[in-house]
Amino acid sequence: MHHDADADRLINAVAAIDVTAVRTLLSQGVDPNGIRSPGGEDSIQPDRPLKMVVFRLWDCLVDESGWEGLATIAKMLLEYGADPVPAMQIAESRYGPYKGGEDERDDGQWKAWHIIAAAAGANLSRKADRDR
């Protein structure tokens, strides 16, 4: 993971909820875990593409089509290898603990978070298996 112009371009495309641009950048090999400056491992700022997805969820200017776009982008980023754990950390710091299927936030606005949480759970399960 490194700070570079490609990370900035991808994060900006995510922020704009530009599904086509995100797809294009990922297909060109842009790192789905790239970090823009300033940022870093423990940052609670949207310094990675998947963290930007989470950051935009509460934006009052995003409507239902935007939430669907964020869910599509989350899936794409994860398919290209984005690490969901930092995104879960920023989500829980902003919106509180994730409650899974019991979460009252079960409308379209939170679809991307559900996708990220499922991936984070799978990643944590694989890590636990490796640690055994």
Side-chain angles (χ1 to χ4, degrees), residues 7-19:
D8 288 342
R9 288 180 20 219
L10 182 55
I11 291 168
N12 290 339
V14 172
I17 315 176
D18 188 337
V19 174

Side-chain angles (χ1 to χ4, degrees), residues 11-68:
I11 291 168
N12 290 339
V14 172
I17 315 176
D18 188 337
V19 174
T20 302
V22 171
R23 182 178 295 115
T24 299
L25 290 166
L26 290 171
S27 70
Q28 292 172 348
V30 174
D31 182 0
N33 291 302
I35 301 172
R36 74 172 172 190
S37 243
E41 286 299 311
D42 296 324
S43 176
I44 59 166
Q45 296 302 314
D47 58 356
R48 294 183 187 206
L50 206 52
K51 288 168 77 174
M52 180 58 77
V53 168
V54 169
F55 184 78
R56 290 301 313 273
L57 290 176
W58 194 252
D59 188 330
C60 66
L61 299 177
V62 176
D63 60 12
E64 289 183 31
S65 67
W67 296 330
E68 192 60 39

Side-chain angles (χ1 to χ4, degrees), residues 83 85 119-132:
D83 181 0
V85 174
N123 275 6
L124 294 174
S125 295
R126 283 194 295 273
K127 182 181 181 320
D129 289 343
R130 283 193 309 267
D131 292 345
R132 286 185 202 162

